[in-house]
């Protein structure tokens, strides 16, 4: 895991070396200050040479100024290093998540994914800056200060380090406890985010059912869980800090007593004693650094572990090693022995065979849960068939590049997803390389122009989050405009008008009919009136494809479609 972590430093080697070099230089200068004070007391003060004393003070001031500059570089540029690594990780994780299949998102909460991309990575960025640098400087300072202490008085130096093994054991003990606490905290953050996202995203439903108190209670439960976990983690930190503080102050007091004894016996000068006392402070300073690393390391490592788990989640659906670009497709579709089930549930589709000719409009009807949407979702490989094959123009879709396949399939759904931008932005999403003229033409063909003209900002009108400022019909027209712009040879209409009123539905149907012209069109519908002009109607049941034919043929056949027709229109 550490090897994978340090790989992210590679693009920023120069920045790391600058930061690291300045940190080391600053630490070396810190070691020099006690020696300077030692010489000041023993050599300069007895002589009373004020000019020399003044120059020595100016020299120390220059060293302090230089060290201040080094500290600035370490703090600012070091954090730039951490932020750069954090940003790279976030970009890599976002790109990876975009490749994951629908099955992954079916089983994972958005709040957890947001936590992994935000708070978790912020902790990793902090560790990327402080971790290696602080550990190295702590080790270097410990060794350097100890060597200088030995040079001043080896007996007192050896007496001073007796407590160090205790500090190390203490640090390791609390480190293990903190890793577990922070892993739990990150999980709670994910649950917290998921709860907030559900409550805010569904605020209209919450208010419609007057369930504000229920949502507040659920939020309070997650909030309290998060609060208690933070209490536990900070309690461990407090125990570690208190124990370390006591042991370090004990060392200082011990040095003070023993040093006084050596001065009284004449084995140390006053300057050496003061210098040694200052060095013992420098010697114990790295313990504070190590404690800081111990606090950030569990957070960073817990976050990095969570990051790796997500990053190493293999996409269920990806390009095959020999995947091909099929070029423009005509739209001849064939399902051969296709079987599919969600996770460990019963099979939704079992050994389905179906052929759809290029340019044909085929409608799928049948009871809910029979597999109509699933059948269409397998075509762009949103899910992978567990058995059988699906071909387009005689080519197995598993051998096609996903981008090439999905780029030639358009989908208009009942629940249209719109982005929180402008009308222009949402239409342009169908083809990001389209010109402004092409976007306006798509809006015109979707019969959206009258609505656009009625808006003060016209195409630059902001539609709100998920198009909340638009009516159902306006959303559908915008989705249709987006599809006109994409201009795919294969079109899937999934209950595209079922949520609309009759008048709006009729108008939208005209736009959809125009959109379907010259394309292979798959329509999922419950309202039989909307699909009676389809070239073929396929009746899907839990047992598979039960009937298929034209509207009048199926009505006259006296089968399942006849019963569906009678249920909607009477006998």
């Amino acid at each position: 895991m550490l090897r994978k972590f340090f790989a992210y430093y590679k693009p920023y080697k120069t920045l790391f070396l600058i930061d690291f070099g300045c940190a080391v230089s600053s630490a070396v200068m810190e070691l020099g200050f006690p020696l300077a004070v030692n010489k000041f007391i023993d050599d300069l003060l007895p002589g009373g040479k004020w000019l020399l004393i003044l120059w020595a003070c100016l020299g120390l001031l220059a060293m302090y100024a230089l060290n201040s500059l080094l500290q600035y570089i370490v703090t600012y540029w070091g954090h730039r290093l951490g932020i750069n690594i954090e940003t790279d990780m976030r970009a890599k994780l976002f790109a990876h998540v975009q490749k994951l299949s629908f099955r992954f998102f079916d089983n994972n909460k958005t709040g957890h994914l947001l936590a992994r991309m935000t708070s978790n990575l912020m902790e990793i960025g902090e560790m990327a800056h402080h971790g290696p640098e602080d550990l190295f400087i702590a080790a270097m300072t410990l060794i350097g200060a100890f060597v200088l202490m030995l040079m001043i008085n080896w007996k007192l130096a050896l007496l001073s380090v007796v407590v160090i093994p205790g500090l190390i054991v203490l640090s390791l003990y609390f480190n293990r406890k903190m890793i577990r606490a922070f892993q739990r905290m990150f999980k709670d953050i994910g649950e917290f985010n998921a709860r907030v996202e559900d409550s805010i995203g569904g605020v209209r439903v919450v208010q419609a059912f007057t369930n504000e108190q229920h949502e507040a209670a659920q939020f309070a439960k997650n909030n309290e869980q998060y609060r208690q976990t933070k209490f536990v983690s900070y309690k461990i930190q407090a125990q570690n800090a208190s124990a370390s503080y006591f042991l370090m102050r004990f060392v200082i007091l011990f040095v003070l007593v023993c040093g006084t004894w050596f001065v009284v016996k004449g084995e140390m000068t006053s300057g050496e004693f003061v210098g040694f006392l200052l060095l013992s402070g420098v010697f114990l300073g790295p313990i504070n650094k190590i404690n800081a690393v111990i606090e950030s390391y569990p957070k960073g490592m817990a976050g990095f572990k969570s990051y790796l788990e997500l990053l190493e989640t293999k996409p269920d659906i990806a390009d095959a090693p020999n995947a091909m670009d099929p070029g423009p497709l005509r739209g001849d579709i064939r399902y051969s022995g296709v079987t599919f089930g969600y996770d460990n549930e019963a099979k939704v589709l079992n050994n389905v065979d179906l052929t759809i000719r290029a340019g044909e409009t085929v409608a799928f009807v049948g009871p809910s849960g029979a597999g109509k949407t699933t059948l269409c979702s397998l075509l762009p490989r949103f899910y992978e068939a567990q058995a059988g094959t699906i071909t387009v123009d005689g080519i197995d879709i598993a051998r096609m590049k996903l981008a090439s396949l999905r780029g030639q399939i358009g989908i208009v759904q009942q629940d249209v997803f719109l982005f929180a931008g402008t009308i222009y932005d949402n239409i342009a999403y169908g083809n990001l390389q389209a010109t402004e003229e092409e976007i306006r033409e798509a809006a015109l063909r979707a019969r959206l122009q009258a609505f656009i003209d009625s808006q003060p900002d016209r195409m630059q009108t902001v539609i709100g989050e998920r198009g909340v400022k638009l009516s159902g019909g306006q959303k559908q027209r915008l989705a249709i405009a987006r599809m006109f712009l994409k201009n795919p040879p294969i079109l899937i209409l999934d209950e595209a008008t079922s949520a609309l009123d009759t008048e709006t539905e009729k108008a939208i149907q005209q736009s959809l009919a125009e959109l379907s012209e010259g394309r292979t069109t798959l329509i999922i519908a419950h309202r039989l009136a909307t699909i009676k002009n389809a070239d073929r109607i396929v009746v899907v049941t839990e047992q598979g494809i039960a009937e298929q034919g034209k509207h009048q043929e199926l009505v006259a056949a006296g089968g399942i479609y006849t019963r569906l027709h009678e249920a909607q229109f009477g006998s």
Side-chain angles (χ1 to χ4, degrees), residues 40 44-45 47-56:
F40 194 92
L44 298 182
L45 286 186
K49 297 177 180 177
W50 280 102
L51 185 61
L52 199 57
I53 290 171
L54 183 61
W55 278 108

Side-chain angles (χ1 to χ4, degrees), residues 58-70:
L58 288 173
L60 281 173
L61 182 63
M63 287 178 69
Y64 281 123
L66 178 59
N67 209 13
S68 299
L69 177 62
L70 294 173

Side-chain angles (χ1 to χ4, degrees), residues 337-357:
V338 172
T339 298
F340 177 80
Y342 293 97
D343 296 326
N344 297 320
E345 298 174 13
K347 295 288 184 285
V348 179
L349 303 172
N350 197 3
N351 200 30
V352 171
D353 293 310
L354 179 66
T355 300
I356 301 169
R357 297 182 301 276

Side-chain angles (χ1 to χ4, degrees), residues 488-505:
I490 300 170
L491 186 63
I492 298 173
L493 306 177
D494 188 355
E495 300 280 3
T497 61
S498 62
L500 305 176
D501 63 85
T502 306
E503 186 177 352
T504 304
E505 180 184 28

Side-chain angles (χ1 to χ4, degrees), residues 411 416-453 455 457-463 467 470 473-488 515:
I411 303 172
V416 176
F417 187 93
L418 299 175
F419 295 92
T422 63
I423 294 173
Y424 183 94
D425 295 335
N426 275 277
I427 297 175
Y429 205 80
N431 180 2
L432 298 176
Q433 281 72 48
T435 64
E436 186 173 340
E437 185 59 37
E438 289 171 331
I439 292 167
R440 293 188 182 282
E441 175 64 21
L444 189 65
R445 294 183 69 184
R447 296 175 172 82
L448 197 60
Q449 196 60 49
F451 167 69
I452 292 171
D453 289 342
Q455 300 302 305
D457 297 325
R458 303 175 75 82
M459 289 286 268
Q460 297 305 318
T461 299
V462 176
I463 62 174
L470 304 181
Q474 289 162 351
K475 289 180 184 178
Q476 288 291 2
R477 287 189 188 280
L478 210 157
I480 292 168
R482 193 157 63 187
M483 210 49 61
F484 269 120
L485 194 64
K486 184 176 183 180
N487 194 27
L515 179 62

Side-chain angles (χ1 to χ4, degrees), residues 33-45:
F33 292 134
L35 295 180
V37 171
N38 180 357
K39 296 297 180 184
F40 194 92
I41 293 173
D42 282 349
D43 297 342
L44 298 182
L45 286 186

